[in-house]
Amino acid sequence: MPHGVATGDNARMPDSAHRRQGSDPIAADRALRRVLARDPTDRAAAQELAHLLREQGRIAAASAVVIDSQNARNADIDEMRAALVFLRECGSYAQALALARQALRRWPNDAGLISFAGSFALGVGEFDAARDYLRRAVDADPGVAGNWLRLSLCQRFERADDDVLMRLQEAWTQPLAPAVRACVGFALGKAFDDLHDHARAGRRCVARVERARTRAVALVCLRLESFRAVSARRR
């Protein structure tokens, strides 16, 4: 992936440089909708309206504006990633998953889009699809730390020869960045806990905290907590 290209973990949708600063949001809403009625491909107007609606708490409407904008234009891959980030921030995972799948028909081998699709599939409970996407994502770009953790949350491990567990164990033997090793360690801990091998589960998690006391590891711990509810649904 080219340097500077946004990925599933670090992408951000830029604020429009031309966002209207008026004090009347109703008037701004109407003005932006008039612009889009004349030209549905106006990306700046769509972004402004989506941000305005989100600020008002109208999340479904904001997400719909982003989807309509993407469908109206032949958006490039960076614009598609930005739209997916906006939908993720809105919590619109089902719409985001549909858009990610649409994007993958155009760019089937893009690691960032595959990562997005896996994350969104996990979020809506499509665990088998999430597992397939995330397995592809870690193979395409093993440096995205969070994907290792998400991969382990797609299932309850029931066999020691599970292919995902074997992939995690293989990754554990490789030289990895601290944040990636932390995620692989926590993922292995979760897998061994599922298998009732609590001693190995504990060793993996404790080793990660003791050997890599970094801000990245602290963020990994927070992510693990946020995904526990998703994992519980799988059980």
Side-chain angles (χ1 to χ4, degrees), residues 23-31 52 56:
S23 59
D24 187 346
I26 296 177
D29 184 311
R30 290 173 178 167
L52 176 65
Q56 296 172 342

Side-chain angles (χ1 to χ4, degrees), residues 130-151:
R131 173 184 162 123
D132 291 342
Y133 284 129
L134 291 167
R135 180 64 187 267
R136 289 172 58 195
V138 299
D139 287 342
D141 186 358
V144 180
N147 282 340
W148 293 99
L149 193 55
R150 296 182 189 105
L151 180 60

Side-chain angles (χ1 to χ4, degrees), residues 10-63:
N10 63 19
R12 289 293 180 270
M13 187 174 189
D15 288 331
S16 170
H18 306 292
R19 178 183 286 197
R20 289 161 173 77
Q21 300 297 322
S23 59
D24 187 346
I26 296 177
D29 184 311
R30 290 173 178 167
L32 290 166
R33 290 185 188 278
R34 284 195 297 270
V35 172
L36 289 171
R38 290 193 300 270
D39 182 6
T41 67
D42 190 321
R43 184 186 181 213
Q47 283 187 313
E48 291 177 29
L49 180 57
H51 280 284
L52 176 65
L53 293 169
R54 185 172 66 178
E55 288 170 359
Q56 296 172 342
R58 299 164 64 187
I59 302 301
S63 299

